[in-house]
Amino acid sequence: MTWQQTAGNEALELDTIHQAQQLIEPYIVHTPVLSNPILNQLTGASLWFKCENLQRTGAFKFRGACHALLQLTKSQRQAGVYTVSSGNHGAALACAGQILNVPVTVAVPDNAPASKKANIARYGAHIVEISPGMAAREEAIARFQQLHPASSFIPPYNHPHIIAGQGTAALELVKEVADLDTLITPVGGGGLLSGSAMVAHSQSIRMCAAEPELANDAWMSMQRGAIQPAHPPSSICDGLLTNLGGHTFDVIQRYVDEIICVSDSQVVAAMQLIWHELKLVVEPSSATVLAAVLKHSEQFKGQRIGLILSGGNVDLTRLPWSVDRLEHS
Amino acid sequence: MTWQQTAGNEALELDTIHQAQQLIEPYIVHTPVLSNPILNQLTGASLWFKCENLQRTGAFKFRGACHALLQLTKSQRQAGVYTVSSGNHGAALACAGQILNVPVTVAVPDNAPASKKANIARYGAHIVEISPGMAAREEAIARFQQLHPASSFIPPYNHPHIIAGQGTAALELVKEVADLDTLITPVGGGGLLSGSAMVAHSQSIRMCAAEPELANDAWMSMQRGAIQPAHPPSSICDGLLTNLGGHTFDVIQRYVDEIICVSDSQVVAAMQLIWHELKLVVEPSSATVLAAVLKHSEQFKGQRIGLILSGGNVDLTRLPWSVDRLEHS
């Protein structure tokens, strides 16, 4: 039985997140939770930011990737793993592979920015360039599987081991901050959201997701009761452009109370606030959660709200606001 | 006896830093200490960053200002305080005053950037605009003293209460991270450096300071054994342009092992590394400490090094590198 075939046979339960936490503990950064008087004043709420931008490789994705590799048998680890990613999952898997001595191959769309490719390559992964788009992606996976049948494909979100790993960020947050009323994460493929929702449900915390209006397939999927395809990429939130998967959608349908859609300009305003007040470099996807609180401020007033800042991988020479160059000697 | 006259009568001892820590504990952020595998690999050392950019008001300055106000008598607090500052000390004093219910007046040079004035004003301080330069500064202090004789002048660095407050950041760092070989802070007026040096000395940790080449008055002062005047402002490190004071120089002469001067372009390179790898928004002054390690990497190889990131107050629309605007909807 290959690793991906185990997916259907494992019940996703809160316990699996606790077990994942113990497994990955020696490898992850126990990221800090920050609060900020200015942002609390601005929103009239108590905000607790779980800083996964400070996680290894600059995103929560390291949790799931690390957990997936730790669940492999010794011979599966020796045979290596592969994935398709142009972003944070690729870097996370490459880094986890480097630490756990598992050979990693990442298929990267040839239009991916050089900075993203560099971030995967620096952890020693083997990079294969493919054409962009879903068809090329599926073909790359099939070809690799044929050439390396012993290798395991590690998907970016739609697997119980990935979901359980991503859920550990929320677990750390609720252990550190008592009595949260609401937990908010961004939603892309739904790995972070579904893991977090299981934790929130166990604590009777209301679970919300923040999604870009320009990539609102999760919101549409909830409305229609079936997974809707991802929109063509146009939102600035480059981490949130994928559709949901069967595993993630199943959990999201059961445990997520509300998906709040925010415009790209609301995201940029929230991103600037986080950089300016929290002094954290976050990527646009991360800023959706604060944008959601600001958009529905009446609803959230007086609440204790946990927000997961999902990542901080930004090209510092390309920012979504105008910057004058400050000359120096 | 006015508050500033107490300065000469109080021995600066490590105990005063411990006492300051207990006094300010309820008001400050216990800032996290971060380490980063990529920066450790790059330098060949173990770096521990104490994130004072995450302190209230975005800089370590809040520690000293808060401690100074807590040392005032009830009637001194009621009479209010004043200072001259265009930057982080002004905002820190304003915020501490707001929390402790002490009226604060800040004299601000009329050429200070609007963002700095706004950062002081938002904590409810009364702002008085004055002409730039040392003469206008002295005159403003004298005039305010004459008009409000009961008010206390809270200097930015040259007072034992300020020094003791600033030293608490290093105290927290050495409590959290054992067996440091070296501690590095930036040096401007020397408040942070002298407080940190007392802590380092007590633990037999080598104390280094990082100073911009274009504002190397502390390095010159150490060479000549007497306080040298500040250079005209030209370094990008706007927090480090003041000269030392009698109290700070006294401690620095006794306990600081080395001052490392770095160029502005070395500072900018280090600042980009901190934004890119640590995912922290820091101001140029903060980045001097990493620039110093990179400049003398042979000397620091294999060491465990504590670095205090002093602040993160940056105008995000003016950065010392070229940025293209990423368009969004």
Side-chain angles (χ1 to χ4, degrees):
Chain A
M1 189 166 67
T2 67
W3 182 76
Q4 48 269 49
Q5 285 166 339
T6 65
N9 304 324
E10 271 182 45
L12 250 173
E13 286 169 12
L14 189 69
D15 238 21
T16 61
I17 303 181
H18 281 284
Q19 286 157 12
Q21 175 73 39
Q22 289 189 319
L23 278 174
I24 67 178
E25 186 70 34
Y27 307 103
I28 59 166
V29 175
H30 193 101
T31 55
V33 177
L34 298 181
S35 68
N36 183 279
I38 303 267
L39 294 179
N40 287 348
Q41 202 180 337
L42 189 70
T43 56
S46 271
L47 309 182
W48 305 91
F49 294 92
K50 176 70 172 166
C51 301
E52 286 297 300
N53 61 323
L54 305 179
Q55 188 51 263
R56 261 177 196 265
T57 70
F60 73 92
K61 292 277 187 183
F62 181 75
R63 294 175 182 269
C66 187
H67 183 230
L69 295 192
L70 288 166
Q71 289 283 357
L72 297 179
T73 63
K74 195 177 167 194
S75 65
Q76 283 173 324
R77 288 201 213 178
Q78 281 169 344
V81 299
Y82 64 103
T83 197
V84 183
S85 166
S86 59
N88 290 339
H89 174 62
L93 192 65
C95 180
Q98 190 177 58
I99 292 168
L100 298 169
N101 209 19
V102 178
V104 175
T105 300
V106 183
V108 179
D110 57 18
N111 63 348
S115 64
K116 296 276 181 185
K117 273 183 254 184
N119 199 33
I120 297 168
R122 73 178 180 174
Y123 297 108
H126 179 56
I127 292 183
V128 181
E129 297 214 338
I130 61 171
S131 302
M134 280 302 277
R137 181 181 180 281
E138 295 305 322
E139 194 197 307
I141 294 170
R143 198 172 54 232
F144 197 91
Q145 187 72 72
Q146 205 172 18
L147 287 171
H148 308 279
S151 268
S152 301
F153 173 63
I154 309 288
Y157 50 86
N158 198 36
H159 191 286
H161 294 165
I162 298 287
I163 294 171
Q166 317 305 31
T168 59
L171 203 61
E172 289 176 9
L173 175 55
V174 301
K175 271 187 194 160
E176 191 165 335
V177 184
D179 300 326
L180 289 178
D181 298 297
T182 301
L183 178 60
I184 312 181
T185 74
V187 59
L192 179 64
L193 176 58
S194 54
S196 302
M198 290 167 64
V199 173
H201 178 75
S202 74
Q203 309 252 329
S204 304
I205 296 169
R206 184 176 161 82
M207 186 75 223
C208 293
E211 187 171 44
E213 283 172 2
L214 294 171
N216 67 346
D217 56 284
W219 183 84
M220 293 283 288
S221 303
M222 289 281 267
Q223 297 296 309
R224 302 199 182 161
I227 297 174
Q228 301 300 305
H231 298 248
S234 75
S235 167
I236 194 179
C237 302
D238 55 275
L240 306 179
L241 304 177
T242 44
N243 50 257
L244 300 175
H247 291 287
T248 59
F249 185 51
D250 179 54
V251 177
I252 289 168
Q253 275 194 304
R254 278 185 286 152
Y255 297 143
V256 174
D257 295 289
E258 187 181 4
I259 296 183
I260 299 170
C261 294
V262 289
S263 71
D264 274 18
S265 60
Q266 288 167 334
V267 168
V268 173
M271 181 176 166
Q272 285 180 295
L273 269 174
I274 293 169
W275 285 44
H276 193 250
E277 304 298 346
L278 275 183
K279 312 298 181 193
L280 291 180
V281 173
V282 294
E283 56 192 78
S285 306
S286 289
T288 55
V289 292
L290 180 59
V293 172
L294 290 167
K295 184 177 177 186
H296 288 198
S297 58
E298 278 310 313
Q299 170 186 336
F300 289 117
K301 200 150 276 177
Q303 287 196 15
R304 290 168 65 81
I305 307 174
L307 306 99
I308 299 188
L309 297 176
S310 51
N313 291 323
V314 181
D315 181 346
L316 294 174
T317 66
R318 284 171 61 79
L319 296 176
W321 57 80
S322 294
V323 178
D324 290 331
R325 182 168 176 159
L326 187 66
E327 293 301 332
H328 59 90
S329 326
Chain B
M1 189 164 70
T2 66
W3 181 75
Q4 47 270 51
Q5 285 166 341
T6 64
N9 304 325
E10 273 181 44
L12 253 174
E13 287 169 12
L14 189 69
D15 239 21
T16 62
I17 302 181
H18 282 283
Q19 286 156 13
Q21 175 73 39
Q22 289 189 319
L23 278 174
I24 67 178
E25 185 72 33
Y27 308 103
I28 58 166
V29 175
H30 193 102
T31 54
V33 177
L34 299 180
S35 67
N36 183 280
I38 302 267
L39 295 179
N40 287 349
Q41 201 180 339
L42 190 70
T43 56
S46 272
L47 309 183
W48 305 91
F49 294 92
K50 176 71 172 166
C51 301
E52 286 299 299
N53 61 322
L54 305 179
Q55 189 51 261
R56 262 177 194 265
T57 71
F60 74 92
K61 292 276 186 182
F62 181 75
R63 295 175 181 269
C66 187
H67 183 232
L69 295 191
L70 288 166
Q71 289 283 357
L72 296 180
T73 64
K74 196 178 166 193
S75 65
Q76 283 173 324
R77 288 201 212 178
Q78 282 168 344
V81 300
Y82 64 103
T83 197
V84 183
S85 167
S86 59
N88 290 339
H89 175 62
L93 192 64
C95 179
Q98 190 177 58
I99 292 168
L100 298 170
N101 209 18
V102 179
V104 174
T105 300
V106 183
V108 179
D110 56 20
N111 64 346
S115 64
K116 295 276 181 186
K117 273 184 252 183
N119 199 32
I120 297 168
R122 72 177 180 174
Y123 297 108
H126 180 58
I127 293 184
V128 181
E129 295 213 339
I130 61 170
S131 302
M134 280 302 276
R137 182 182 180 282
E138 295 303 323
E139 195 197 308
I141 295 170
R143 197 172 56 233
F144 197 93
Q145 187 72 72
Q146 203 171 19
L147 288 170
H148 308 279
S151 268
S152 300
F153 174 66
I154 309 287
Y157 50 85
N158 197 37
H159 190 287
H161 294 165
I162 298 287
I163 294 170
Q166 318 303 31
T168 59
L171 204 60
E172 288 175 10
L173 175 56
V174 301
K175 270 186 195 161
E176 192 165 333
V177 184
D179 300 325
L180 290 177
D181 298 298
T182 301
L183 178 60
I184 312 181
T185 74
V187 58
L192 179 64
L193 176 58
S194 54
S196 303
M198 289 165 64
V199 173
H201 178 75
S202 74
Q203 309 252 329
S204 305
I205 295 168
R206 183 174 161 84
M207 185 75 224
C208 293
E211 187 172 43
E213 283 172 1
L214 294 170
N216 68 347
D217 55 284
W219 184 84
M220 293 283 289
S221 302
M222 289 280 268
Q223 297 295 309
R224 299 199 183 162
I227 296 174
Q228 301 300 304
H231 297 248
S234 75
S235 168
I236 195 180
C237 303
D238 54 275
L240 307 179
L241 304 177
T242 45
N243 51 258
L244 300 175
H247 290 287
T248 57
F249 185 52
D250 180 54
V251 177
I252 289 168
Q253 276 194 304
R254 276 185 288 152
Y255 296 142
V256 173
D257 296 288
E258 186 180 5
I259 295 183
I260 299 169
C261 295
V262 289
S263 71
D264 273 18
S265 60
Q266 288 167 333
V267 167
V268 173
M271 181 176 166
Q272 286 180 294
L273 269 175
I274 293 169
W275 286 44
H276 193 252
E277 303 299 346
L278 276 183
K279 311 298 180 192
L280 292 179
V281 173
V282 295
E283 56 192 79
S285 305
S286 289
T288 55
V289 292
L290 179 59
V293 172
L294 290 167
K295 184 177 177 185
H296 288 197
S297 58
E298 278 309 312
Q299 169 186 336
F300 288 117
K301 200 151 277 178
Q303 287 197 15
R304 291 168 63 82
I305 307 174
L307 304 99
I308 299 187
L309 296 175
S310 51
N313 292 323
V314 181
D315 181 345
L316 294 175
T317 66
R318 284 172 60 79
L319 296 177
W321 57 81
S322 294
V323 179
D324 290 331
R325 181 168 178 159
L326 188 64
E327 292 304 330
H328 59 91
S329 326

